[in-house]
Amino acid sequence: MADRIQHLRKSKGISQEELADKVGVSRQAVSKWESEQSTPDIEKVILLSNFLM
């Protein structure tokens, strides 16, 4: 999941901070998702999929 989030974010040309703003989390949370230190909860996964797809 971490690689997918990062790939989709970069393919859209948006920063971690922009993505964080769109899904209502901190930039650090996005960084942790992308580095496999944590995973988003289901509500955030839905928001991510709506925004990134």
Side-chain angles (χ1 to χ4, degrees), residues 1 5 9-10 12 17-18 20-21 25-28 30-32 36 38 40 42-43 46 48-49 52-53:
M1 179 179 271
I5 293 170
R9 177 182 63 76
K10 287 182 176 182
K12 294 255 183 204
E17 188 153 350
E18 289 174 296
D21 287 342
V25 298
S26 67
R27 186 207 53 81
Q28 290 85 356
V30 174
S31 177
K32 286 181 179 183
E36 296 182 329
S38 68
I42 191 66
E43 290 96 15
I46 293 167
L48 285 166
S49 66
L52 293 173
M53 294 300 184

Side-chain angles (χ1 to χ4, degrees), residues 2-50:
D3 291 338
R4 190 76 175 142
I5 293 170
Q6 186 176 42
H7 171 76
L8 290 170
R9 177 182 63 76
K10 287 182 176 182
S11 71
K12 294 255 183 204
I14 61 173
S15 68
Q16 287 181 343
E17 188 153 350
E18 289 174 296
L19 181 58
D21 287 342
K22 294 291 184 184
V23 296
V25 298
S26 67
R27 186 207 53 81
Q28 290 85 356
V30 174
S31 177
K32 286 181 179 183
W33 296 342
E34 291 183 356
S35 63
E36 296 182 329
Q37 294 177 2
S38 68
T39 55
D41 61 32
I42 191 66
E43 290 96 15
K44 299 305 181 200
V45 171
I46 293 167
L47 290 171
L48 285 166
S49 66
N50 289 337

